[in-house]
Amino acid sequence: MRAVRDVRDTRTGRDAKPKDEGVDRPGVWSAYGVLLQYLRKRAGLNQQQLGDAMGYSLEQVASVEQGRRPAKAAFTTAAERALEAGGVLEALQGEVDRAKLPRFFRNFALFEAEAVSRFDYEPLLVPGLLQTEAYARALFAGHCPPLNEEVIDQHTEARLGRQKLLTRVPLAELSFIIGEEALRNPVADRQVMRGQWQHLLDVRALRNVEIQVMPARCGFHSGLNGPFVVLETKEHQHLGYIESQDVGCVVHDPAEVSAFGLRYGKLRSQALNGDESARLIERLVGET
């Protein structure tokens, strides 16, 4: 669905030509824009008047209406208030945010948002749910082929948004096993890495989060085949997830998911325990 064009030039007052014509944007952004435009016209406002009422520029309102830019939560809150929308825009916000994620991850994100437990093994990078903004941005900035700044911003914002799972009520049981190599690999400068290590120590204090480190010299273990996630949904369905080179796969087969669970249990027994892991991370912080 494409949003109806209704943009006025800030200098002439005439209808402005939409930008990015032909660019493939997530459908939910366009649907949100169509709904916003309908509510605005119902209220008898033009884009400039709505922007003034919300504290946003005409261009920001126009971009959202055209589906060129996703609405952020603060924008939606302001629009709901200015248009007396009755919660219809807020109902779309979760889908708008999810569409900022890389396409290959969106299906799994639906399960993740309502998980009752999530166990994550990541040998090479700090898991996304534990990343700081600076660390996440550094990873997206290094993507090949390169991402433009707008996409980097959207992916970073979406990744940080997923971290609501850490403190969501009811609490989810969360376990992370991180390879020591992931902690020592300087994917960003020392200041960013130090902030990331300190963040791990802070998150570890949450009573529903366990963080363990797999020592670099552990020898053979079942995680050498790559990262994976084991997740339990609110319906108590168990799923697996594997990802590599921008390709993600949700695993539903019970036998395969069971094998993931067995491997994760084995990895837990081979990794440093929580206190030992914290001391290793504290040493990394102290070395900076």
Side-chain angles (χ1 to χ4, degrees):
M1 181 187 300
R2 299 186 68 82
V4 178
R5 305 311 193 205
D6 183 20
V7 188
R8 292 190 175 277
D9 187 277
T10 55
R11 296 166 295 180
T12 67
R14 299 174 182 173
D15 287 351
K17 294 182 179 180
K19 301 177 182 178
D20 300 334
E21 193 68 57
V23 176
D24 181 24
R25 302 291 185 183
V28 69
W29 296 359
S30 294
Y32 182 104
V34 169
L35 180 58
L36 177 67
Q37 184 181 100
Y38 167 78
L39 294 169
R40 172 178 63 79
K41 289 184 174 181
R42 187 185 68 175
L45 302 175
N46 61 33
Q47 290 173 335
Q48 184 66 64
Q49 290 168 330
L50 177 57
D52 291 343
M54 294 171 55
Y56 286 82
S57 70
L58 179 149
E59 173 58 26
Q60 288 171 306
V61 173
S63 294
V64 173
E65 281 197 2
Q66 295 167 11
R68 292 191 289 113
R69 301 290 185 273
K72 296 184 178 181
F75 181 100
T76 294
T77 298
E80 284 277 352
R81 182 179 61 252
L83 297 172
E84 298 181 356
V88 295
L89 293 174
E90 290 179 345
L92 282 176
Q93 188 62 47
E95 293 300 319
V96 170
D97 290 340
R98 194 158 18 253
K100 299 174 189 175
L101 291 164
R103 189 180 299 273
F104 67 86
F105 190 78
R106 292 174 193 168
N107 286 343
F108 183 70
L110 289 168
F111 297 110
E112 180 186 74
E114 298 184 344
V116 297
S117 68
R118 187 186 187 282
F119 300 160
D120 189 334
Y121 170 68
E122 177 55 72
L124 299 178
L125 295 169
V126 173
L129 289 177
L130 302 180
Q131 291 175 9
T132 63
E133 179 177 355
Y135 185 96
R137 189 173 294 278
L139 296 183
F140 288 126
H143 190 275
C144 182
L147 304 174
N148 64 46
E149 289 299 320
E150 179 186 351
V151 173
I152 291 173
D153 288 344
Q154 290 170 2
H155 285 354
T156 301
E157 182 181 348
R159 179 161 292 177
L160 297 179
R162 288 173 50 218
Q163 295 178 4
K164 295 174 184 176
L165 182 62
L166 297 172
T167 55
R168 185 209 66 198
V169 178
L171 292 175
E173 184 69 24
L174 304 173
S175 171
F176 302 89
I177 302 175
I178 309 170
E180 183 179 346
E181 296 92 338
L183 300 178
R184 294 188 179 277
N185 186 18
V187 300
D189 63 38
R190 295 293 289 179
Q191 182 177 357
V192 171
M193 295 305 298
R194 189 177 191 279
Q196 179 61 73
W197 296 328
Q198 185 60 56
H199 182 65
L200 293 176
L201 294 174
D202 294 340
V203 173
R204 176 180 177 270
L206 298 174
R207 61 190 178 89
N208 61 314
V209 176
E210 180 181 42
I211 297 176
Q212 294 178 259
V213 176
M214 180 64 72
R217 298 184 180 181
C218 181
F220 177 82
H221 58 78
S222 59
L224 294 179
N225 286 335
F228 63 94
V229 176
V230 182
L231 178 148
E232 182 181 1
T233 71
K234 64 179 181 179
E235 292 82 17
H236 303 294
Q237 177 187 10
H238 291 82
L239 303 172
Y241 178 74
I242 52 177
E243 177 186 312
S244 179
Q245 296 295 331
D246 291 350
V247 177
C249 177
V250 180
V251 180
H252 295 270
D253 181 80
E256 293 178 350
V257 177
S258 176
F260 282 5
L262 290 173
R263 291 171 196 153
Y264 197 85
K266 186 72 170 178
L267 290 171
R268 264 183 155 172
S269 71
Q270 295 171 305
L272 301 178
N273 66 34
D275 290 339
E276 293 168 337
S277 298
R279 287 194 290 270
L280 186 152
I281 297 171
E282 288 168 352
R283 288 198 297 272
L284 293 174
V285 173
E287 291 172 3
T288 58

Short mmCIF file of all heavy atoms in Angstrom, two decimals, residues 122-177:
data_model
loop_
_atom_site.label_atom_id
_atom_site.label_comp_id
_atom_site.label_asym_id
_atom_site.label_seq_id
_atom_site.Cartn_x
_atom_site.Cartn_y
_atom_site.Cartn_z
N GLU A 122 26.96 -17.22 21.73
CA GLU A 122 27.57 -16.36 20.71
C GLU A 122 29.08 -16.37 20.87
O GLU A 122 29.61 -15.81 21.84
CB GLU A 122 27.03 -14.94 20.83
CG GLU A 122 27.64 -13.96 19.86
CD GLU A 122 27.52 -14.41 18.41
OE1 GLU A 122 26.41 -14.38 17.86
OE2 GLU A 122 28.55 -14.80 17.83
N PRO A 123 29.81 -17.03 19.96
CA PRO A 123 31.26 -17.15 20.13
C PRO A 123 32.09 -15.95 19.67
O PRO A 123 33.21 -15.77 20.13
CB PRO A 123 31.59 -18.38 19.27
CG PRO A 123 30.55 -18.37 18.20
CD PRO A 123 29.30 -17.84 18.85
N LEU A 124 31.56 -15.13 18.75
CA LEU A 124 32.39 -14.13 18.09
C LEU A 124 32.01 -12.69 18.36
O LEU A 124 32.82 -11.78 18.15
CB LEU A 124 32.39 -14.37 16.57
CG LEU A 124 32.95 -15.73 16.11
CD1 LEU A 124 32.84 -15.85 14.60
CD2 LEU A 124 34.39 -15.90 16.57
N LEU A 125 30.79 -12.44 18.80
CA LEU A 125 30.33 -11.08 19.06
C LEU A 125 29.52 -11.05 20.35
O LEU A 125 28.94 -12.05 20.75
CB LEU A 125 29.45 -10.56 17.92
CG LEU A 125 30.10 -10.39 16.55
CD1 LEU A 125 29.03 -10.12 15.49
CD2 LEU A 125 31.12 -9.26 16.57
N VAL A 126 29.47 -9.89 20.98
CA VAL A 126 28.56 -9.72 22.11
C VAL A 126 27.13 -9.85 21.57
O VAL A 126 26.79 -9.24 20.55
CB VAL A 126 28.76 -8.34 22.76
CG1 VAL A 126 27.71 -8.09 23.84
CG2 VAL A 126 30.17 -8.24 23.36
N PRO A 127 26.28 -10.64 22.20
CA PRO A 127 24.90 -10.81 21.71
C PRO A 127 24.16 -9.47 21.61
O PRO A 127 24.38 -8.57 22.43
CB PRO A 127 24.26 -11.71 22.77
CG PRO A 127 25.40 -12.46 23.37
CD PRO A 127 26.56 -11.50 23.37
N GLY A 128 23.29 -9.37 20.62
CA GLY A 128 22.58 -8.11 20.37
C GLY A 128 21.83 -7.57 21.56
O GLY A 128 21.77 -6.36 21.79
N LEU A 129 21.22 -8.46 22.36
CA LEU A 129 20.46 -8.01 23.52
C LEU A 129 21.34 -7.38 24.60
O LEU A 129 20.83 -6.72 25.51
CB LEU A 129 19.67 -9.18 24.13
CG LEU A 129 18.48 -9.69 23.32
CD1 LEU A 129 17.83 -10.89 24.02
CD2 LEU A 129 17.44 -8.59 23.12
N LEU A 130 22.65 -7.58 24.50
CA LEU A 130 23.57 -7.06 25.51
C LEU A 130 24.46 -5.94 24.98
O LEU A 130 25.32 -5.43 25.70
CB LEU A 130 24.47 -8.19 26.03
CG LEU A 130 23.76 -9.40 26.66
CD1 LEU A 130 24.78 -10.43 27.11
CD2 LEU A 130 22.86 -8.97 27.82
N GLN A 131 24.27 -5.55 23.74
CA GLN A 131 25.15 -4.56 23.13
C GLN A 131 24.80 -3.14 23.57
O GLN A 131 23.64 -2.78 23.72
CB GLN A 131 25.07 -4.65 21.60
CG GLN A 131 25.68 -5.91 21.03
CD GLN A 131 25.48 -6.04 19.53
OE1 GLN A 131 25.02 -5.10 18.87
NE2 GLN A 131 25.82 -7.19 18.99
N THR A 132 25.84 -2.32 23.72
CA THR A 132 25.62 -0.89 23.91
C THR A 132 25.33 -0.26 22.55
O THR A 132 25.56 -0.86 21.50
CB THR A 132 26.87 -0.21 24.50
OG1 THR A 132 27.96 -0.34 23.57
CG2 THR A 132 27.27 -0.83 25.83
N GLU A 133 24.82 0.95 22.58
CA GLU A 133 24.54 1.64 21.32
C GLU A 133 25.81 1.83 20.50
O GLU A 133 25.81 1.61 19.28
CB GLU A 133 23.90 3.00 21.59
CG GLU A 133 23.61 3.79 20.32
CD GLU A 133 22.91 5.12 20.58
OE1 GLU A 133 22.57 5.39 21.75
OE2 GLU A 133 22.71 5.87 19.61
N ALA A 134 26.91 2.21 21.15
CA ALA A 134 28.15 2.45 20.42
C ALA A 134 28.70 1.18 19.80
O ALA A 134 29.19 1.18 18.67
CB ALA A 134 29.20 3.07 21.36
N TYR A 135 28.62 0.06 20.52
CA TYR A 135 29.10 -1.22 20.00
C TYR A 135 28.24 -1.66 18.82
O TYR A 135 28.75 -2.06 17.77
CB TYR A 135 29.06 -2.25 21.11
CG TYR A 135 29.63 -3.62 20.77
CD1 TYR A 135 30.94 -3.94 21.08
CD2 TYR A 135 28.84 -4.59 20.15
CE1 TYR A 135 31.46 -5.20 20.79
CE2 TYR A 135 29.35 -5.85 19.86
CZ TYR A 135 30.65 -6.15 20.17
OH TYR A 135 31.17 -7.40 19.88
N ALA A 136 26.91 -1.57 18.97
CA ALA A 136 26.01 -1.97 17.89
C ALA A 136 26.24 -1.11 16.65
O ALA A 136 26.29 -1.61 15.53
CB ALA A 136 24.56 -1.85 18.35
N ARG A 137 26.39 0.19 16.85
CA ARG A 137 26.59 1.09 15.72
C ARG A 137 27.90 0.77 14.99
O ARG A 137 27.97 0.83 13.75
CB ARG A 137 26.59 2.54 16.20
CG ARG A 137 26.57 3.57 15.09
CD ARG A 137 26.39 4.97 15.67
NE ARG A 137 25.09 5.13 16.30
CZ ARG A 137 23.98 5.41 15.64
NH1 ARG A 137 24.00 5.55 14.32
NH2 ARG A 137 22.84 5.56 16.29
N ALA A 138 28.93 0.40 15.73
CA ALA A 138 30.20 0.04 15.12
C ALA A 138 30.05 -1.20 14.24
O ALA A 138 30.64 -1.29 13.15
CB ALA A 138 31.27 -0.20 16.19
N LEU A 139 29.26 -2.17 14.69
CA LEU A 139 29.04 -3.38 13.90
C LEU A 139 28.29 -3.06 12.61
O LEU A 139 28.66 -3.53 11.52
CB LEU A 139 28.27 -4.41 14.71
CG LEU A 139 28.96 -4.98 15.96
CD1 LEU A 139 28.07 -6.04 16.59
CD2 LEU A 139 30.32 -5.57 15.61
N PHE A 140 27.23 -2.28 12.71
CA PHE A 140 26.46 -1.94 11.51
C PHE A 140 27.28 -1.06 10.56
O PHE A 140 27.16 -1.18 9.34
CB PHE A 140 25.16 -1.23 11.90
CG PHE A 140 24.14 -2.13 12.51
CD1 PHE A 140 23.58 -1.83 13.75
CD2 PHE A 140 23.73 -3.30 11.87
CE1 PHE A 140 22.63 -2.68 14.33
CE2 PHE A 140 22.79 -4.15 12.44
CZ PHE A 140 22.24 -3.83 13.67
N ALA A 141 28.12 -0.18 11.12
CA ALA A 141 28.96 0.67 10.27
C ALA A 141 29.98 -0.14 9.49
O ALA A 141 30.44 0.28 8.43
CB ALA A 141 29.66 1.73 11.12
N GLY A 142 30.35 -1.31 10.01
CA GLY A 142 31.32 -2.16 9.32
C GLY A 142 30.71 -3.17 8.38
O GLY A 142 31.41 -4.02 7.83
N HIS A 143 29.40 -3.09 8.18
CA HIS A 143 28.70 -4.06 7.34
C HIS A 143 29.22 -4.02 5.90
O HIS A 143 29.59 -2.97 5.37
CB HIS A 143 27.21 -3.76 7.36
CG HIS A 143 26.36 -4.82 6.72
ND1 HIS A 143 26.11 -4.86 5.36
CD2 HIS A 143 25.70 -5.87 7.25
CE1 HIS A 143 25.33 -5.88 5.09
NE2 HIS A 143 25.07 -6.52 6.22
N CYS A 144 29.25 -5.18 5.27
CA CYS A 144 29.64 -5.29 3.86
C CYS A 144 28.54 -6.02 3.10
O CYS A 144 28.19 -7.15 3.47
CB CYS A 144 30.97 -6.03 3.72
SG CYS A 144 31.57 -6.18 2.02
N PRO A 145 27.96 -5.41 2.06
CA PRO A 145 28.23 -4.07 1.53
C PRO A 145 27.79 -2.98 2.50
O PRO A 145 26.94 -3.23 3.36
CB PRO A 145 27.40 -4.03 0.23
CG PRO A 145 26.30 -5.01 0.47
CD PRO A 145 26.89 -6.11 1.30
N PRO A 146 28.37 -1.78 2.36
CA PRO A 146 28.11 -0.72 3.34
C PRO A 146 26.63 -0.33 3.40
O PRO A 146 25.93 -0.33 2.39
CB PRO A 146 28.96 0.46 2.81
CG PRO A 146 29.99 -0.17 1.95
CD PRO A 146 29.35 -1.37 1.33
N LEU A 147 26.18 0.00 4.62
CA LEU A 147 24.83 0.51 4.83
C LEU A 147 24.88 2.03 4.90
O LEU A 147 25.86 2.61 5.39
CB LEU A 147 24.26 -0.03 6.14
CG LEU A 147 24.23 -1.55 6.31
CD1 LEU A 147 23.77 -1.91 7.73
CD2 LEU A 147 23.32 -2.20 5.28
N ASN A 148 23.83 2.69 4.42
CA ASN A 148 23.82 4.14 4.54
C ASN A 148 23.50 4.53 5.98
O ASN A 148 23.04 3.71 6.78
CB ASN A 148 22.85 4.79 3.53
CG ASN A 148 21.40 4.41 3.77
OD1 ASN A 148 20.91 4.44 4.90
ND2 ASN A 148 20.69 4.07 2.70
N GLU A 149 23.75 5.79 6.31
CA GLU A 149 23.62 6.24 7.70
C GLU A 149 22.20 6.06 8.23
O GLU A 149 21.99 5.74 9.40
CB GLU A 149 24.05 7.70 7.83
CG GLU A 149 25.54 7.92 7.69
CD GLU A 149 26.34 7.19 8.75
OE1 GLU A 149 25.89 7.16 9.93
OE2 GLU A 149 27.40 6.64 8.43
N GLU A 150 21.23 6.28 7.37
CA GLU A 150 19.84 6.13 7.80
C GLU A 150 19.54 4.70 8.22
O GLU A 150 18.91 4.45 9.25
CB GLU A 150 18.89 6.54 6.66
CG GLU A 150 17.43 6.40 7.01
CD GLU A 150 16.53 6.68 5.81
OE1 GLU A 150 17.04 7.15 4.77
OE2 GLU A 150 15.31 6.43 5.93
N VAL A 151 20.01 3.73 7.44
CA VAL A 151 19.78 2.32 7.77
C VAL A 151 20.54 1.94 9.03
O VAL A 151 20.03 1.19 9.87
CB VAL A 151 20.17 1.42 6.58
CG1 VAL A 151 20.09 -0.05 6.98
CG2 VAL A 151 19.25 1.69 5.39
N ILE A 152 21.76 2.44 9.17
CA ILE A 152 22.53 2.18 10.40
C ILE A 152 21.77 2.69 11.61
O ILE A 152 21.65 2.00 12.63
CB ILE A 152 23.92 2.84 10.31
CG1 ILE A 152 24.79 2.14 9.27
CG2 ILE A 152 24.62 2.82 11.68
CD1 ILE A 152 26.11 2.83 9.00
N ASP A 153 21.21 3.90 11.51
CA ASP A 153 20.43 4.46 12.61
C ASP A 153 19.23 3.58 12.93
O ASP A 153 18.92 3.30 14.10
CB ASP A 153 19.96 5.87 12.26
CG ASP A 153 21.08 6.89 12.26
OD1 ASP A 153 22.15 6.59 12.81
OD2 ASP A 153 20.89 7.99 11.70
N GLN A 154 18.52 3.15 11.89
CA GLN A 154 17.30 2.35 12.09
C GLN A 154 17.62 1.00 12.71
O GLN A 154 16.95 0.55 13.64
CB GLN A 154 16.58 2.17 10.76
CG GLN A 154 15.95 3.44 10.24
CD GLN A 154 15.45 3.32 8.81
OE1 GLN A 154 15.54 2.25 8.20
NE2 GLN A 154 14.95 4.40 8.25
N HIS A 155 18.66 0.32 12.19
CA HIS A 155 19.03 -0.99 12.74
C HIS A 155 19.51 -0.86 14.18
O HIS A 155 19.19 -1.72 15.02
CB HIS A 155 20.12 -1.63 11.88
CG HIS A 155 19.63 -2.17 10.57
ND1 HIS A 155 18.30 -2.20 10.22
CD2 HIS A 155 20.30 -2.73 9.52
CE1 HIS A 155 18.17 -2.75 9.02
NE2 HIS A 155 19.36 -3.08 8.58
N THR A 156 20.27 0.18 14.47
CA THR A 156 20.77 0.38 15.83
C THR A 156 19.61 0.64 16.79
O THR A 156 19.53 0.05 17.87
CB THR A 156 21.76 1.55 15.89
OG1 THR A 156 22.86 1.30 15.00
CG2 THR A 156 22.28 1.76 17.30
N GLU A 157 18.70 1.51 16.38
CA GLU A 157 17.54 1.81 17.22
C GLU A 157 16.70 0.56 17.46
O GLU A 157 16.24 0.31 18.58
CB GLU A 157 16.70 2.89 16.54
CG GLU A 157 15.48 3.30 17.36
CD GLU A 157 14.65 4.35 16.64
OE1 GLU A 157 15.13 4.91 15.63
OE2 GLU A 157 13.52 4.60 17.09
N ALA A 158 16.52 -0.25 16.41
CA ALA A 158 15.72 -1.46 16.55
C ALA A 158 16.40 -2.46 17.48
O ALA A 158 15.73 -3.12 18.29
CB ALA A 158 15.48 -2.09 15.18
N ARG A 159 17.71 -2.58 17.38
CA ARG A 159 18.43 -3.51 18.26
C ARG A 159 18.30 -3.09 19.71
O ARG A 159 18.08 -3.91 20.60
CB ARG A 159 19.90 -3.59 17.85
CG ARG A 159 20.73 -4.50 18.73
CD ARG A 159 22.02 -4.92 18.06
NE ARG A 159 21.76 -5.78 16.91
CZ ARG A 159 22.71 -6.26 16.11
NH1 ARG A 159 23.98 -5.95 16.33
NH2 ARG A 159 22.41 -7.03 15.09
N LEU A 160 18.44 -1.80 19.96
CA LEU A 160 18.29 -1.32 21.34
C LEU A 160 16.85 -1.51 21.83
O LEU A 160 16.62 -1.79 23.00
CB LEU A 160 18.70 0.15 21.43
CG LEU A 160 20.16 0.47 21.09
CD1 LEU A 160 20.41 1.97 21.19
CD2 LEU A 160 21.12 -0.30 21.98
N GLY A 161 15.89 -1.36 20.92
CA GLY A 161 14.50 -1.56 21.30
C GLY A 161 14.22 -2.99 21.73
O GLY A 161 13.38 -3.23 22.61
N ARG A 162 14.91 -3.95 21.12
CA ARG A 162 14.73 -5.35 21.50
C ARG A 162 15.14 -5.58 22.95
O ARG A 162 14.68 -6.55 23.59
CB ARG A 162 15.57 -6.26 20.60
CG ARG A 162 15.07 -6.40 19.18
CD ARG A 162 16.08 -7.18 18.35
NE ARG A 162 16.49 -8.41 19.01
CZ ARG A 162 17.75 -8.90 18.98
NH1 ARG A 162 18.70 -8.26 18.35
NH2 ARG A 162 18.02 -10.02 19.61
N GLN A 163 15.99 -4.75 23.48
CA GLN A 163 16.52 -4.96 24.82
C GLN A 163 15.48 -4.73 25.93
O GLN A 163 15.76 -4.96 27.10
CB GLN A 163 17.75 -4.08 25.02
CG GLN A 163 18.90 -4.47 24.10
CD GLN A 163 20.12 -3.59 24.23
OE1 GLN A 163 20.17 -2.69 25.08
NE2 GLN A 163 21.11 -3.80 23.38
N LYS A 164 14.28 -4.31 25.54
CA LYS A 164 13.19 -4.25 26.51
C LYS A 164 12.94 -5.63 27.12
O LYS A 164 12.40 -5.73 28.23
CB LYS A 164 11.92 -3.75 25.84
CG LYS A 164 11.99 -2.32 25.32
CD LYS A 164 10.73 -1.97 24.54
CE LYS A 164 10.81 -0.58 23.94
NZ LYS A 164 9.63 -0.26 23.09
N LEU A 165 13.30 -6.67 26.39
CA LEU A 165 13.10 -8.03 26.90
C LEU A 165 13.85 -8.26 28.20
O LEU A 165 13.44 -9.09 29.02
CB LEU A 165 13.56 -9.05 25.84
CG LEU A 165 13.39 -10.53 26.18
CD1 LEU A 165 11.91 -10.86 26.37
CD2 LEU A 165 13.99 -11.41 25.09
N LEU A 166 14.94 -7.53 28.42
CA LEU A 166 15.73 -7.72 29.63
C LEU A 166 14.95 -7.38 30.90
O LEU A 166 15.15 -7.99 31.95
CB LEU A 166 17.00 -6.87 29.57
CG LEU A 166 18.00 -7.18 28.45
CD1 LEU A 166 19.08 -6.12 28.41
CD2 LEU A 166 18.60 -8.56 28.63
N THR A 167 14.06 -6.41 30.79
CA THR A 167 13.34 -5.93 31.98
C THR A 167 11.83 -6.01 31.82
O THR A 167 11.10 -5.51 32.68
CB THR A 167 13.73 -4.46 32.27
OG1 THR A 167 13.51 -3.67 31.10
CG2 THR A 167 15.19 -4.37 32.67
N ARG A 168 11.37 -6.63 30.75
CA ARG A 168 9.93 -6.75 30.51
C ARG A 168 9.24 -7.51 31.64
O ARG A 168 9.81 -8.41 32.25
CB ARG A 168 9.73 -7.50 29.19
CG ARG A 168 8.29 -7.61 28.71
CD ARG A 168 8.11 -8.88 27.90
NE ARG A 168 8.28 -10.07 28.74
CZ ARG A 168 8.52 -11.28 28.25
NH1 ARG A 168 8.67 -11.46 26.96
NH2 ARG A 168 8.65 -12.31 29.08
N VAL A 169 8.01 -7.12 31.93
CA VAL A 169 7.20 -7.82 32.93
C VAL A 169 6.07 -8.54 32.20
O VAL A 169 5.36 -7.91 31.41
CB VAL A 169 6.62 -6.84 33.97
CG1 VAL A 169 5.73 -7.57 34.97
CG2 VAL A 169 7.76 -6.11 34.70
N PRO A 170 5.88 -9.85 32.43
CA PRO A 170 6.65 -10.71 33.35
C PRO A 170 8.07 -10.95 32.84
O PRO A 170 8.32 -10.96 31.64
CB PRO A 170 5.83 -12.01 33.36
CG PRO A 170 5.17 -12.03 32.02
CD PRO A 170 4.83 -10.61 31.70
N LEU A 171 8.97 -11.15 33.80
CA LEU A 171 10.37 -11.34 33.45
C LEU A 171 10.59 -12.61 32.65
O LEU A 171 9.96 -13.64 32.91
CB LEU A 171 11.22 -11.40 34.71
CG LEU A 171 11.34 -10.12 35.54
CD1 LEU A 171 12.10 -10.39 36.83
CD2 LEU A 171 12.01 -9.01 34.73
N ALA A 172 11.47 -12.53 31.67
CA ALA A 172 11.90 -13.70 30.93
C ALA A 172 13.19 -14.22 31.53
O ALA A 172 14.02 -13.45 32.02
CB ALA A 172 12.11 -13.35 29.46
N GLU A 173 13.38 -15.53 31.51
CA GLU A 173 14.63 -16.14 31.98
C GLU A 173 15.62 -16.08 30.82
O GLU A 173 15.39 -16.67 29.76
CB GLU A 173 14.38 -17.58 32.40
CG GLU A 173 15.60 -18.26 32.99
CD GLU A 173 15.98 -17.70 34.35
OE1 GLU A 173 15.09 -17.13 35.04
OE2 GLU A 173 17.15 -17.83 34.74
N LEU A 174 16.75 -15.38 31.04
CA LEU A 174 17.70 -15.13 29.96
C LEU A 174 19.08 -15.62 30.34
O LEU A 174 19.59 -15.32 31.43
CB LEU A 174 17.76 -13.63 29.64
CG LEU A 174 16.42 -12.97 29.28
CD1 LEU A 174 16.57 -11.47 29.16
CD2 LEU A 174 15.85 -13.56 28.01
N SER A 175 19.68 -16.36 29.44
CA SER A 175 21.03 -16.89 29.65
C SER A 175 21.88 -16.60 28.42
O SER A 175 21.42 -16.76 27.29
CB SER A 175 20.98 -18.39 29.92
OG SER A 175 22.28 -18.95 29.93
N PHE A 176 23.10 -16.16 28.65
CA PHE A 176 24.03 -15.84 27.56
C PHE A 176 25.37 -16.50 27.83
O PHE A 176 25.91 -16.38 28.93
CB PHE A 176 24.25 -14.34 27.44
CG PHE A 176 22.98 -13.54 27.21
CD1 PHE A 176 22.24 -13.08 28.30
CD2 PHE A 176 22.53 -13.27 25.94
CE1 PHE A 176 21.08 -12.35 28.11
CE2 PHE A 176 21.36 -12.54 25.73
CZ PHE A 176 20.64 -12.08 26.83
N ILE A 177 25.90 -17.21 26.84
CA ILE A 177 27.27 -17.71 26.89
C ILE A 177 28.02 -17.00 25.77
O ILE A 177 27.66 -17.11 24.59
CB ILE A 177 27.32 -19.24 26.71
CG1 ILE A 177 26.49 -19.94 27.78
CG2 ILE A 177 28.77 -19.72 26.75
CD1 ILE A 177 26.40 -21.45 27.58
#
